[in-house]
Amino acid sequence: MPKLDESLLTGLPPFSLLDRAQIREILDQAVSRRYDEGTAIFREGHDADRFHLLLDGYLRVIRSTPGGDQIIVLHISPGQLFGIAPALQRDTYPATAIAAAESIALSWPVRVWDDFIARYPGFATESYKTLGQRLGQIQETLTEMATQAVEKRVACALLRMVHQSGRKSDKGIEIAFPVTRQNISDMTGTTLHTVSRLLSAWQKDGIVESTRKRIVVTNPHALVVLSEA
DNA sequence: TCATTAAGTATGC
DNA sequence: GCATACTTAATGA
């Protein structure tokens, strides 16, 4: 394993208060791995032996319902901790993490978690902050699912992905990772057919432009209006 | 308003 | 050329 460069972690929220030597310590305990698109980093219910940080790429976090179908709970973007079961006092992962695009992640054994919390200033507060934000976001989309019409839910899901991973292209803002209509239906509790119809209609209205697995939002404002309508 | 069924086209390895 | 992604229409809860 090549030595990891310190610049990988400097500036990231959980480590922003640390000096060079401390970041070096942390990196020396880390393992770096690459994941192909579609690969699982860990699976729901499995032994949570490591916690992770995404360096590059995007992840889908999936939970399966008692009914057996899978819903996409949230996405992880670069710089974020994930699989932090120890912060939840759990010894199994509460969800499955799949690489939505080719991704690179660092990981540490869970036994160093308490050590990190104790020794590195800011690590605890930042970790629990992202945890809280995530729970809030999940709860928000959950009530949205229960109360809002399908069109609004899909508009909101697109906007969330744009906010999290949008990058400018010549036509508008492109979602930075591959998304299928099935994926969007898994985020919004509808069918891929309905998502397909909505995207087709929005394309006709000049709001989005999509090819297979790629979506560009050409009129974000119109989408915001739809999400609030 | 939306899911389901069904039957098609398009796309990329 | 096959599997996967996507589209569209029809039907009915």
Side-chain angles (χ1 to χ4, degrees), chain A residues 25 34 62 64 71 126 136-137 183 185-186 191 199 202 211-212 216 220 227:
Chain A
E25 283 173 24
R34 195 188 66 88
I62 290 166
S64 28
I71 56 168
E126 283 303 326
Q137 209 224 308
N183 290 151
S185 66
D186 288 341
T191 64
L199 287 181
W202 291 346
T211 56
R212 95 170 1 206
V216 179
S227 74

Side-chain angles (χ1 to χ4, degrees), chain A residues 101-113:
Chain A
E102 182 180 324
S103 299
I104 298 171
L106 297 180
S107 72
W108 295 268
V110 286
R111 60 180 156 74
V112 305
W113 177 266

Side-chain angles (χ1 to χ4, degrees), chain A residues 62-226:
Chain A
I62 290 166
R63 293 207 50 172
S64 28
T65 65
D69 35 29
Q70 313 217 297
I71 56 168
I72 297 176
V73 178
L74 54 86
H75 289 95
I76 305 284
S77 18
Q80 292 193 294
L81 288 168
F82 65 99
I84 44 182
L88 295 164
Q89 312 284 353
R90 292 187 50 125
D91 51 5
T92 61
Y93 294 114
T96 298
I98 306 276
E102 182 180 324
S103 299
I104 298 171
L106 297 180
S107 72
W108 295 268
V110 286
R111 60 180 156 74
V112 305
W113 177 266
D114 289 333
D115 202 43
F116 277 27
I117 295 282
R119 287 175 53 190
Y120 303 123
F123 181 79
T125 46
E126 283 303 326
S127 306
Y128 288 105
K129 194 193 282 179
T130 54
L131 207 61
Q133 284 169 350
R134 258 178 234 174
L135 286 177
Q137 209 224 308
I138 292 169
Q139 195 243 48
E140 202 176 279
T141 57
L142 227 59
T143 54
E144 174 191 300
M145 278 239 241
T147 59
Q148 308 286 39
V150 169
E151 186 179 48
K152 273 203 228 179
R153 307 205 302 262
V154 174
C156 284
L158 283 186
L159 285 173
R160 278 197 299 273
M161 290 189 282
V162 162
H163 284 139
Q164 197 172 19
S165 84
R167 54 184 179 205
K168 274 223 167 73
S169 77
D170 42 349
K171 292 297 228 170
I173 310 172
E174 178 175 13
I175 293 169
F177 51 89
V179 207
T180 66
R181 277 117 182 91
Q182 175 72 63
N183 290 151
I184 297 173
S185 66
D186 288 341
M187 305 174 56
T188 54
T190 180
T191 64
L192 78 151
H193 309 273
T194 298
V195 173
S196 178
R197 273 188 287 268
L198 282 172
L199 287 181
S200 296
W202 291 346
Q203 177 137 355
K204 210 174 306 170
D205 296 342
I207 299 172
V208 301
E209 239 166 72
S210 69
T211 56
R212 95 170 1 206
K213 290 195 184 187
R214 304 236 74 109
I215 297 175
V216 179
V217 176
T218 49
N219 186 348
H221 181 254
L223 207 56
V224 171
V225 171
L226 282 173

Side-chain angles (χ1 to χ4, degrees), chain A residues 6-23 26 53 79 81 116 120-127 129-130:
Chain A
E6 287 146 38
S7 65
L8 289 175
L9 296 188
T10 47
L12 296 183
F15 309 110
S16 54
L17 296 179
L18 307 185
D19 60 37
R20 238 184 147 63
Q22 290 174 310
I23 288 185
I26 288 174
L53 177 88
L81 288 168
F116 277 27
Y120 303 123
F123 181 79
T125 46
E126 283 303 326
S127 306
K129 194 193 282 179
T130 54

